[in-house]
Amino acid sequence: YAKAYSQTGGAVEELARHVGDAPRSEPDALELDEVLWQRIAALPPTPRHVLELVCTASGQSTRARIAHAAGLDEQALFEATRSLRAAHLVRATGLRRDDTLEPYHDRVRDAVERHLDPRRRRLCHQRLARALAEDGGARVAPHALVGHTLAAGDQAGAAKHAEEAAKHARAATAFDRAADFYRMALDLGGH
C-alpha cells in the first residue's frame, strides 16, 4: 500500500508541478510520461546524463560507480544529484561513495527508458560495464557485468563475464544458475 501511495503521490505531484509551470493555453489532457520527459529533456547535460545512467543501472548504481561512468569527480556528481533530488527525479541513500542512487519512482525510469535513443542507451551500458569492471573485487557480482556488457553490444565481453558469473554461481552451489550462465556464455561464443 505504501509503495502504491508513494508512486501515485509522485504522479499527482508531477502533474501538479506541470500544470503550475505550463502556459494556460495547453490542453487539459496530460500524459504523465510526457510531462516527465519534458522535464528530463530540459535538464542541463550533466544532470541528464547522470539520470540516464541511474535509470539504466537498474540497482547497481552506487555514487562512486555513477561518478566513474559519467566521468565526474565527487563534487560534480554532488551538484548534479542535488539538482536531480530537488527536481524529484533521483533518490539518494546518503553522500558516501557506496551509497546508492536510484530513480525517484518507477515512472522516471520508464520515461527515460522509453525515450532514450538506442545509441545513447548502448553508451550508458558501456560506461556502466566499464565502471563495474574497474570496481572489481567481491563487491561486484559478475552477473551484473553480463547484462550491461551485452546491452553495450559486446558479445565477446558478455561471454567472458557470463563464464565468470557461472564460476561464481557454481562456487556458491547455485548449480542451476551456473548452468544458465554457462549456456549463455556458449550462446555468445564463449569457450
Side-chain angles (χ1 to χ4, degrees), residues 85-100:
R85 288 176 67 198
H88 298 285
L89 295 170
V90 166
R91 293 180 193 263
T93 59
L95 297 175
R96 294 183 318 255
R97 294 177 49 75
D98 288 336
D99 289 332
T100 60

Side-chain angles (χ1 to χ4, degrees), residues 44-54 69-71 120 123-124 127:
T46 299
R48 182 173 171 179
H49 184 52
V50 168
L51 180 62
E52 290 169 352
L53 289 165
V54 168
R120 188 84 179 150
L123 179 63
C124 285
R127 289 177 178 223

Side-chain angles (χ1 to χ4, degrees), residues 3-23:
K3 183 176 181 180
Y5 176 78
S6 172
Q7 289 177 344
T8 303
V12 171
E13 181 180 322
E14 194 63 44
L15 289 171
R17 183 180 294 114
H18 179 72
V19 169
D21 294 343

